[in-house]
Amino acid sequence: MGICRKRREKAKDTKFSGSDNADDVAWHKQISKNTPHTVGTKLPNELGLYDMSGNVWEWCWDWYNKDYYKIEAGNNPKGPEMGERRSVRGGSWDSNVNYLRPANRISTPQNKTHEFYGFRVARTISE
């Protein structure tokens, strides 16, 4: 069973990744004391993943197009084939709470680095 299918089966209808209360699962501007924190110091989401909201914006493979979700059918579209900017998601330790929603994404130049940005190594699971 793939991770996307597992996610749909275990997904909870929460505002942030794992809770309706940002303070439970995310480091953000109001509580971070202006610094990133060690991964796993907040509660995990329903899949056991930490810091999917807050702490650092996560780089995504997707190219950014602000209107892509308006034109793409289906759940979790892959994004445009090409572009100039990448998507980052999840907010950071310097973000206001409204940026921490899992669906929120912003664009950034693909060569930009910053202490607000991080990434996860992920791979496809074969059945």
Side-chain angles (χ1 to χ4, degrees), residues 55-60 88-89 114-120:
N55 212 18
V56 294
W57 287 97
E58 293 201 7
W59 281 98
C60 297
V88 292
R89 291 184 179 268
H114 202 284
E115 62 187 324
F116 304 138
Y117 295 148
F119 70 95
R120 287 181 193 268

Side-chain angles (χ1 to χ4, degrees), residues 73-91:
N75 188 15
N76 194 22
K78 293 183 180 180
E81 293 293 320
M82 299 177 73
E84 294 181 13
R85 299 172 73 86
R86 294 284 186 177
S87 292
V88 292
R89 291 184 179 268

Side-chain angles (χ1 to χ4, degrees), residues 85-122:
R85 299 172 73 86
R86 294 284 186 177
S87 292
V88 292
R89 291 184 179 268
S92 79
W93 56 267
D94 192 45
S95 298
N96 288 315
V97 171
N98 58 321
Y99 285 99
L100 306 180
R101 295 177 304 103
N104 184 58
R105 62 189 169 61
I106 62 171
S107 71
T108 193
Q110 63 181 347
N111 62 350
K112 184 173 182 176
T113 61
H114 202 284
E115 62 187 324
F116 304 138
Y117 295 148
F119 70 95
R120 287 181 193 268
V121 176

Side-chain angles (χ1 to χ4, degrees), residues 27-34 92-97:
W27 291 106
H28 56 86
K29 191 171 197 148
Q30 288 73 26
I31 63 169
S32 70
K33 297 185 180 177
N34 298 317
S92 79
W93 56 267
D94 192 45
S95 298
N96 288 315
V97 171

